[in-house]
Amino acid sequence: MAIDTAHFKQLLLDKRTDLTREIANFDEDARDSRTAEVEDPIDAVVSSEAKSLAFGGSNTAAEMLEQVDAALQRIETGEYGICVDCGEPIEPKRLEAVPWTPYCLKDQEKHDRIEAEATQMDSTL
Protein backbone atom coordinates (compact mmCIF):
# COMPACT_ATOMS: atom_id res chain seq x y z
CA MET A 1 0.00 0.00 0.00
CA ALA A 2 1.42 3.38 -1.00
CA ILE A 3 1.68 6.13 1.57
CA ASP A 4 -0.13 9.40 0.93
CA THR A 5 2.95 11.55 1.44
CA ALA A 6 1.04 14.75 0.62
CA HIS A 7 -1.24 14.07 3.61
CA PHE A 8 1.70 13.42 5.94
CA LYS A 9 3.67 16.36 4.58
CA GLN A 10 0.78 18.67 5.46
CA LEU A 11 0.51 17.15 8.96
CA LEU A 12 4.25 17.66 9.44
CA LEU A 13 4.19 21.23 8.12
CA ASP A 14 1.31 22.05 10.47
CA LYS A 15 3.22 20.51 13.39
CA ARG A 16 6.32 22.47 12.37
CA THR A 17 4.33 25.72 12.48
CA ASP A 18 2.92 24.85 15.93
CA LEU A 19 6.35 23.95 17.31
CA THR A 20 7.97 27.09 15.94
CA ARG A 21 5.26 29.18 17.59
CA GLU A 22 5.63 27.19 20.83
CA ILE A 23 9.41 27.72 20.90
CA ALA A 24 8.94 31.45 20.36
CA ASN A 25 6.44 31.55 23.25
CA PHE A 26 8.80 29.64 25.56
CA ASP A 27 11.63 32.00 24.68
CA GLU A 28 9.39 35.00 25.37
CA ASP A 29 8.28 33.50 28.70
CA ALA A 30 11.92 32.96 29.69
CA ARG A 31 12.77 36.57 28.86
CA ASP A 32 9.69 37.83 30.70
CA SER A 33 10.63 35.97 33.88
CA ARG A 34 13.73 38.11 34.44
CA THR A 35 14.49 38.81 38.03
CA ALA A 36 13.60 42.22 39.35
CA GLU A 37 16.34 44.45 40.73
CA VAL A 38 14.84 44.17 44.20
CA GLU A 39 13.23 40.88 45.05
CA ASP A 40 13.18 38.67 48.06
CA PRO A 41 14.67 35.14 48.03
CA ILE A 42 11.28 33.54 47.37
CA ASP A 43 10.73 35.74 44.30
CA ALA A 44 14.19 34.76 43.05
CA VAL A 45 13.37 31.06 43.38
CA VAL A 46 10.03 31.45 41.60
CA SER A 47 11.66 33.46 38.81
CA SER A 48 14.44 30.88 38.45
CA GLU A 49 11.91 28.04 38.30
CA ALA A 50 9.86 29.86 35.64
CA LYS A 51 12.98 30.31 33.51
CA SER A 52 13.95 26.69 33.96
CA LEU A 53 10.50 25.47 32.91
CA ALA A 54 10.46 27.75 29.88
CA PHE A 55 13.91 26.64 28.73
CA GLY A 56 13.04 22.97 29.34
CA GLY A 57 9.88 23.29 27.28
CA SER A 58 11.76 25.09 24.56
CA ASN A 59 14.38 22.32 24.42
CA THR A 60 11.71 19.62 24.18
CA ALA A 61 9.93 21.49 21.39
CA ALA A 62 13.24 22.06 19.60
CA GLU A 63 14.03 18.33 19.73
CA MET A 64 10.61 17.51 18.30
CA LEU A 65 11.10 20.16 15.61
CA GLU A 66 14.32 18.38 14.59
CA GLN A 67 12.35 15.13 14.29
CA VAL A 68 9.67 16.83 12.18
CA ASP A 69 12.31 18.34 9.89
CA ALA A 70 13.98 14.93 9.53
CA ALA A 71 10.61 13.39 8.57
CA LEU A 72 10.05 16.13 5.98
CA GLN A 73 13.50 15.36 4.59
CA ARG A 74 12.59 11.64 4.37
CA ILE A 75 9.51 12.62 2.35
CA GLU A 76 11.72 14.56 -0.05
CA THR A 77 14.15 11.64 -0.45
CA GLY A 78 11.38 9.05 -0.81
CA GLU A 79 12.33 7.28 2.43
CA TYR A 80 9.30 8.36 4.46
CA GLY A 81 7.36 5.56 6.14
CA ILE A 82 10.33 3.20 6.15
CA CYS A 83 11.94 2.35 9.51
CA VAL A 84 15.46 3.76 9.61
CA ASP A 85 16.61 0.78 11.71
CA CYS A 86 15.18 -2.31 10.01
CA GLY A 87 14.05 -0.94 6.63
CA GLU A 88 10.53 -2.32 7.02
CA PRO A 89 7.41 -0.19 6.45
CA ILE A 90 6.19 1.75 9.48
CA GLU A 91 2.65 0.83 10.48
CA PRO A 92 0.08 3.25 8.96
CA LYS A 93 -1.68 3.74 12.32
CA ARG A 94 1.67 4.65 13.86
CA LEU A 95 2.35 7.24 11.15
CA GLU A 96 -1.09 8.76 11.74
CA ALA A 97 -0.39 9.00 15.48
CA VAL A 98 3.24 10.14 15.23
CA PRO A 99 3.92 11.28 11.66
CA TRP A 100 7.52 12.27 12.49
CA THR A 101 8.51 8.82 13.76
CA PRO A 102 11.59 7.27 12.13
CA TYR A 103 10.90 3.82 13.62
CA CYS A 104 8.41 0.99 13.34
CA LEU A 105 6.75 0.04 16.62
CA LYS A 106 9.15 -2.86 17.31
CA ASP A 107 12.24 -0.71 16.88
CA GLN A 108 10.71 2.20 18.82
CA GLU A 109 10.11 -0.16 21.74
CA LYS A 110 13.76 -1.26 21.49
CA HIS A 111 14.93 2.38 21.60
CA ASP A 112 12.61 3.12 24.53
CA ARG A 113 14.03 0.16 26.50
CA ILE A 114 17.61 1.28 25.84
CA GLU A 115 16.78 4.84 26.90
CA ALA A 116 15.01 3.62 30.06
CA GLU A 117 18.00 1.44 30.97
CA ALA A 118 20.39 4.36 30.41
CA THR A 119 18.22 6.64 32.55
CA GLN A 120 18.09 4.00 35.27
CA MET A 121 21.86 3.61 35.19
CA ASP A 122 22.33 7.39 35.38
CA SER A 123 20.09 7.61 38.42
CA THR A 124 22.10 4.96 40.28
CA LEU A 125 25.38 6.84 39.80
Side-chain angles (χ1 to χ4, degrees), residues 4 14 37 44 53 65 70 78 81-82 85 90-91 95 106 113:
D4 181 3
D14 291 346
E37 286 184 30
L53 287 172
L65 182 58
I82 305 297
D85 278 2
I90 299 173
E91 302 83 357
L95 288 174
K106 184 182 84 170
R113 274 193 310 277

Side-chain angles (χ1 to χ4, degrees), residues 1-12 71-72 75 80-81 90 92 95-96 99:
M1 182 177 90
I3 294 177
D4 181 3
T5 55
H7 165 71
F8 289 107
K9 184 174 185 175
Q10 190 58 54
L11 289 177
L12 290 163
L72 287 165
I75 286 176
Y80 183 78
I90 299 173
L95 288 174
E96 283 294 336

Side-chain angles (χ1 to χ4, degrees), residues 90-103:
I90 299 173
E91 302 83 357
K93 286 182 181 180
R94 180 161 171 71
L95 288 174
E96 283 294 336
V98 189
W100 52 88
T101 186
Y103 307 115

Side-chain angles (χ1 to χ4, degrees):
M1 182 177 90
I3 294 177
D4 181 3
T5 55
H7 165 71
F8 289 107
K9 184 174 185 175
Q10 190 58 54
L11 289 177
L12 290 163
L13 289 171
D14 291 346
K15 184 66 173 178
R16 187 176 203 300
T17 299
D18 292 345
L19 288 167
T20 302
R21 188 176 303 121
E22 190 175 320
I23 291 167
N25 288 339
F26 280 129
D27 291 347
E28 185 176 320
D29 289 347
R31 281 191 302 276
D32 289 346
S33 66
R34 287 184 229 177
T35 56
E37 286 184 30
V38 179
E39 63 180 18
D40 63 41
I42 300 299
D43 288 338
V45 169
V46 170
S47 178
S48 177
E49 284 295 313
K51 284 181 188 176
S52 179
L53 287 172
F55 285 127
S58 179
N59 288 341
T60 301
E63 289 171 8
M64 186 175 286
L65 182 58
E66 286 178 18
Q67 294 172 0
V68 168
D69 285 342
L72 287 165
Q73 182 63 36
R74 288 192 301 276
I75 286 176
E76 295 305 313
T77 62
E79 299 168 344
Y80 183 78
I82 305 297
C83 179
V84 299
D85 278 2
C86 69
E88 294 295 318
I90 299 173
E91 302 83 357
K93 286 182 181 180
R94 180 161 171 71
L95 288 174
E96 283 294 336
V98 189
W100 52 88
T101 186
Y103 307 115
C104 67
L105 184 57
K106 184 182 84 170
D107 284 322
Q108 181 65 58
E109 289 171 346
K110 179 178 69 176
H111 284 272
D112 290 347
R113 274 193 310 277
I114 291 168
E115 187 176 323
E117 290 169 2
T119 301
Q120 187 177 16
M121 287 180 67
D122 287 345
S123 68
T124 61
L125 295 179

